[in-house]
Amino acid sequence: MNKSTLLFFSAITAFTFSNCGGGEKSEEIETGDSVKTEEPKVNPVSETFFQVPSPGEMLTFIKMVGGKNNKNTTFLNSPANEKNYTDNKSKSINFGIYSCDLSYCSIFGIGSESLKYFKTVKTMGDQIGVSTAIKPEVLKRLESNIGVSDSLAVITDDVYFSSFEALEDSKQGPTLALVVAGGWLESIFIATNLAKFEEKSPVVERLADQKYTLENLVEFLKKHESDANVASVKADFEGLLAEFNKISEKDVTATASGKEGDKTAMLGGGKQLFITKEVYETIVGKIKTLRNSYTLTK
Amino acid sequence: MKYFITLFIVAVISSSLFSQAGVCGNFHKKYCVLGNDKGAKWQYNAQSKSGLFNQGMVSKLRCVIYKGMDYRISVCCETVLGDKVSYKIFDSRTNELLFDNSTSEDTQSFEFQSVSTRQLIIEVVVPQGATEKDKHKATDAACVGLLIEHKITDKQGFSAY
């Protein structure tokens, strides 16, 4: 074995052991001591993560409650607009918007549009650094499932989740925050284009429920507000949240219930949200203005 | 010169390995048990998350659950800590404790519906001393995954729709 090879293996061996816990712990292994617990440890600072449901969850719900035959795509952001997004902020937000549009076309079985939106998502994904998450073979999977909306939805969900993970893994927090914001906003924009105000309409109720999701989203944006682009989007979303805060909340009196032996527990209590037509229309107007300001459309 | 080139290559390889070593990213997808009831179509929920936990560390995840949906939450972690991780579910607005797995035989998964859409706080704790069982465990940190799945509630159940 020559000197270089010896050096190589020595370094790899040393690295491997250092990764197994450091010098102090190595000593514990040698002596056979258990992990010491007598001395009080300082607990790491508790952290709260604020999570946001995917746009696909909202769109699937809308389809389920009565939109199965909907094929309208006129309100989506046209793929032709992609060339207008030249800065990081607009690229990231519109990547989220186009990803949501792709989900919409897939969930509603608008196959030919799915292909167009996938190509746009792929192009923009390459620009914001998630090229590894959106592999070219996905296009082949989409093409071979063009008439099967369930399969299309699964494939496009994978694209969204893979992009999300790629941004998380590469520590691109601000970009991720903008993508999530764009995706959520577009899902709400689509919902408001498909639903008119009706009391007790499931879609309108679900839109009112977005108050909670928006609160989480604003908290998520706050974690990355040192980035100027995120800070400006956070300010926009706080303005929208002010409108959502006009939705009234009432205690739900129903208590936890369920038959003995039921596998699924029922969580009682909580709040029910009540949205008036006036508040609904104000929110719809705000969403439209905000969304179009990001897509640079009217 | 050859010595320094070799040293550089070693440093690059080591650096690359190290950057991969600290990532728990997809842990919940790889190790948490998926719901597979007959006829149930559980779907992956984007609010799932994984993280690196130290003993005694408390992490909270605030998520949104909708009425009219069934949810399944499962917790998973590296083997040594596996039966020690505990979690509690609170209503975010009222801080009411809704579920505590320590009162349910430390179950690692929980299926539920809610009568109202609400924000939940899921609090996950890896107790101190959790690694005592394994004298050869060289680290007190482990990847912990929190998998959330959802499906539309059967119409015969509690669904409002």
Side-chain angles (χ1 to χ4, degrees):
Chain A
M1 193 180 284
N2 64 32
K3 194 176 170 184
S4 300
T5 312
L6 189 65
L7 181 64
F8 177 84
F9 283 113
S10 301
I12 287 290
T13 308
F15 169 75
T16 305
F17 281 120
S18 72
N19 244 8
C20 285
E24 198 180 324
K25 295 295 176 190
S26 298
E27 199 174 290
E28 283 173 9
I29 291 170
E30 285 165 13
T31 58
D33 287 344
S34 61
V35 175
K36 291 173 185 173
T37 55
E38 311 86 59
E39 293 172 20
K41 289 183 179 177
V42 178
N43 284 355
V45 176
S46 176
E47 184 174 3
T48 303
F49 299 97
F50 298 94
Q51 304 298 94
V52 179
S54 71
E57 197 178 331
M58 177 72 168
L59 299 173
T60 305
F61 175 79
I62 294 170
K63 183 184 177 186
M64 188 266 297
V65 294
K68 280 182 185 171
N69 300 319
N70 169 61
K71 301 286 180 193
N72 190 355
T73 59
T74 54
F75 42 75
L76 302 184
N77 190 18
S78 168
N81 293 332
E82 179 256 315
K83 62 181 181 302
N84 301 330
Y85 310 127
T86 53
D87 60 288
N88 288 339
K89 179 184 171 185
S90 63
K91 280 180 184 175
S92 303
I93 291 177
N94 282 286
F95 176 81
I97 287 173
Y98 281 129
S99 296
C100 180
D101 290 344
L102 170 62
S103 283
Y104 170 79
C105 293
S106 301
I107 289 165
F108 285 86
I110 314 168
S112 57
E113 293 298 308
S114 297
L115 297 178
K116 284 183 199 168
Y117 278 97
F118 174 77
K119 286 171 186 169
T120 308
V121 166
K122 171 70 181 152
T123 303
M124 295 200 71
D126 290 345
Q127 292 172 22
I128 66 165
V130 293
S131 53
T132 53
I134 310 170
K135 296 184 172 65
E137 51 263 36
V138 177
L139 181 60
K140 288 179 187 169
R141 284 175 66 201
L142 282 173
E143 284 170 338
S144 58
N145 287 283
I146 202 79
V148 192
S149 64
D150 285 353
S151 302
L152 289 178
V154 170
I155 296 165
T156 53
D157 262 359
D158 284 348
V159 169
Y160 182 83
F161 296 139
S162 301
S163 306
F164 190 101
E165 285 156 16
L167 289 169
E168 222 174 24
D169 291 348
S170 58
K171 313 274 185 227
Q172 293 191 68
T175 303
L176 178 61
L178 296 174
V179 168
V180 171
W184 176 81
L185 185 64
E186 185 71 350
S187 71
I188 306 308
F189 178 73
I190 291 172
T192 57
N193 272 277
L194 295 176
K196 288 180 182 173
F197 182 83
E198 282 176 44
E199 275 186 36
K200 298 194 176 175
S201 152
V203 178
V204 172
E205 283 185 5
R206 181 60 72 101
L207 278 164
D209 290 342
Q210 296 309 305
K211 177 180 178 178
Y212 297 134
T213 304
L214 182 53
E215 285 176 352
N216 276 14
L217 183 50
V218 167
E219 292 297 328
F220 182 51
L221 291 168
K222 273 183 191 172
K223 290 203 169 190
H224 303 286
E225 66 182 331
S226 56
D227 179 281
N229 291 333
V230 176
S232 73
V233 171
K234 191 204 81 175
D236 292 341
F237 278 54
E238 282 175 335
L240 184 57
L241 182 58
E243 297 302 327
F244 271 94
N245 283 337
K246 292 175 183 167
I247 298 171
S248 60
E249 293 186 8
K250 288 180 185 169
D251 287 335
V252 173
T253 51
T255 53
S257 60
K259 296 170 198 164
E260 198 168 326
D262 273 354
K263 197 176 174 186
T264 306
M266 173 61 80
L267 305 182
K271 306 272 185 189
Q272 188 173 355
L273 301 178
F274 292 93
I275 186 168
T276 63
K277 188 177 182 184
E278 188 187 7
V279 172
Y280 178 82
E281 286 175 352
T282 307
I283 288 174
V284 169
K286 278 260 181 190
I287 287 168
K288 186 179 178 185
T289 305
L290 194 54
R291 184 268 193 185
N292 289 348
S293 73
Y294 293 149
T295 56
L296 310 175
T297 54
K298 288 181 181 176
Chain B
M1 185 63 185
K2 197 175 173 185
Y3 173 85
F4 286 110
I5 290 171
T6 310
L7 198 63
F8 176 74
I9 292 168
V10 170
V12 168
I13 292 171
S14 300
S15 163
S16 166
L17 286 170
F18 183 76
S19 68
Q20 290 172 30
V23 174
C24 291
N26 265 333
F27 189 82
H28 59 276
K29 279 191 173 176
K30 290 177 187 164
Y31 297 102
C32 290
V33 180
L34 293 164
N36 60 352
D37 300 351
K38 280 183 182 175
K41 267 188 153 184
W42 289 108
Q43 292 181 301
Y44 177 79
N45 191 292
Q47 299 178 95
S48 305
K49 190 153 184 74
S50 294
L52 187 65
F53 278 63
N54 287 320
Q55 291 178 51
M57 182 174 178
V58 179
S59 271
K60 295 177 181 181
L61 180 143
R62 195 169 92 184
C63 61
V64 178
I65 56 139
Y66 297 106
K67 72 174 180 180
M69 306 286 286
D70 283 12
Y71 289 87
R72 182 175 183 276
I73 289 174
S74 21
V75 177
C76 57
C77 65
E78 288 175 314
T79 312
V80 173
L81 302 176
D83 56 355
K84 291 281 191 177
V85 173
S86 59
Y87 61 97
K88 294 175 183 173
I89 301 175
F90 298 88
D91 183 294
S92 166
R93 275 179 155 61
T94 63
N95 281 329
E96 179 190 358
L97 177 63
L98 300 169
F99 180 73
D100 180 350
N101 80 324
S102 68
T103 61
S104 296
E105 300 172 337
D106 291 329
T107 179
Q108 295 299 286
S109 66
F110 177 52
E111 289 181 21
F112 64 95
Q113 304 166 19
S114 173
V115 294
S116 58
T117 296
R118 68 213 304 178
Q119 287 169 336
L120 295 182
I121 297 272
I122 305 171
E123 188 181 281
V124 181
V125 186
V126 177
Q128 291 195 348
T131 60
E132 273 188 328
K133 281 165 60 174
D134 188 343
K135 291 178 180 177
H136 303 292
K137 179 83 174 136
T139 178
D140 58 358
C143 284
V144 175
L146 183 65
L147 174 69
I148 303 175
E149 298 168 277
H150 66 267
K151 63 176 173 133
I152 292 164
T153 301
D154 294 336
K155 285 180 181 174
Q156 291 172 334
F158 296 98
S159 172
Y161 307 121

